Structure formats: C-alpha cells, structure tokens
Amino acid sequence: TLVMVDPNCRPTATPDFGRYQARMRRVIARADVVKGSDEDFDYLALAATPEATARMLIEQGVGAVLVTQGGDAARGFCVGGEVSVPVPSVQVVDTVGAGDTFGGSFLGYWLEHGFGRQELDDADLLEAAVTFAARAAAINCTRAGAEPPTRAEMDLE
C-alpha cells in the first residue's frame, strides 16, 4: 500500500507544538509520499527550509516529497531528482480544498498509471504527476468551496 501523509498544519489548533512535531516525525517516517505546503514545512521546522526538509526526508527513506507554494511553482523531490512545475494561472474564486485536491489528484494519477513505491524515484514520472495535480488544484480554485474537478474534466483541459 502506498502511504501519503499531508501534515496540513494548523498552528492555532496545536496547543503543544513539541508533541505535535514529535508525532509528525513518527508518522512521516512511515510515509512513502509526504505532501505539504511551504507553510506546513516551515511550521514543522524539521530543517531550515522546505527544500532542506524535502531533501532530508528523501535521505531518510521517504519516496517523494511534494511542496506546494500557493500560486507559485509546485515542487517534487525524489532520489532521481527535483522537479518544479508552474501552477496554471487562473482567476481564483476560493482556495479551500486546493491542497487536498493536489494531494488526491497526485495519488489518483499515480495509481491510475499503475505506479507504486518503486517508481517514486523517477523524476520524470514525478513531474507528470505533479503537473496533473497542479492543474487539478488550479481548477478547484476557480470554484467556490472545495470542488475538485472530475476525472472527465481533467481530460478536457
């Protein structure tokens, strides 16, 4: 089973940061894919920058790390390299659900293509999946509320 973790940090809802950070370290250590925003990785403070965190997690055995940065490029890190994918420019209506859409779309793409943990070290495959996920998240942002695109809508884009 491919395991993905999105820490989805909420600092105002986290009364004990030390305990939260320790728990997230244990959970992340068991993940194949870790997806988080640059803000999530900054908050977790596992390394000096989100990029340093991603590289550290790869060295510790995580298969791939995905870093979203709002409307800026989405990044992917794996043993085979690092990718940076531009986020499509859209008229933003609402960002609710964009991160979850990104994560779910990445997994959907990955599994639809029959990929598993072994393929996570392929930067080209990672780039294709991150590109797909960034498109889906951008479409979600053009709608009010968390309204990810359907698979059929993704085929039309």
Side-chain angles (χ1 to χ4, degrees), residues 77-142:
F77 299 79
C78 67
V79 169
E82 300 174 11
V83 300
S84 180
V85 173
V87 173
S89 179
V90 297
Q91 182 67 39
V92 175
V93 172
D94 193 348
T95 61
V96 170
D100 292 332
T101 297
F102 183 95
S105 296
F106 175 88
L107 281 177
Y109 180 94
W110 203 256
L111 297 174
E112 178 182 61
H113 287 83
F115 304 146
R117 173 99 168 72
Q118 301 76 18
E119 289 80 15
L120 287 171
D121 63 355
D122 187 316
D124 292 332
L125 298 179
L126 187 67
E127 182 173 22
V130 169
T131 299
F132 183 85
R135 273 188 32 236
I139 292 169
N140 181 85
C141 290
T142 66

Side-chain angles (χ1 to χ4, degrees), residues 3-110:
V3 175
M4 185 168 98
V5 172
D6 179 351
N8 205 10
C9 300
R10 296 292 183 255
T12 58
T14 306
D16 185 339
F17 172 72
R19 193 167 158 203
Y20 175 76
Q21 185 189 48
R23 183 176 70 238
M24 287 310 305
R25 281 181 186 270
R26 289 190 307 273
V27 170
I28 287 170
R30 300 176 69 115
D32 299 309
V33 179
V34 177
K35 178 264 169 211
S37 69
D38 52 351
E39 294 170 343
D40 290 333
F41 290 119
D42 283 342
Y43 180 71
L44 284 174
L46 303 177
T49 65
E51 296 80 13
T53 299
R55 292 178 189 117
M56 177 193 74
L57 293 175
I58 296 299
E59 288 174 9
Q60 293 175 355
V62 172
V65 178
L66 312 175
V67 182
T68 58
Q69 303 172 124
D72 294 332
R75 310 223 11 230
F77 299 79
C78 67
V79 169
E82 300 174 11
V83 300
S84 180
V85 173
V87 173
S89 179
V90 297
Q91 182 67 39
V92 175
V93 172
D94 193 348
T95 61
V96 170
D100 292 332
T101 297
F102 183 95
S105 296
F106 175 88
L107 281 177
Y109 180 94
W110 203 256

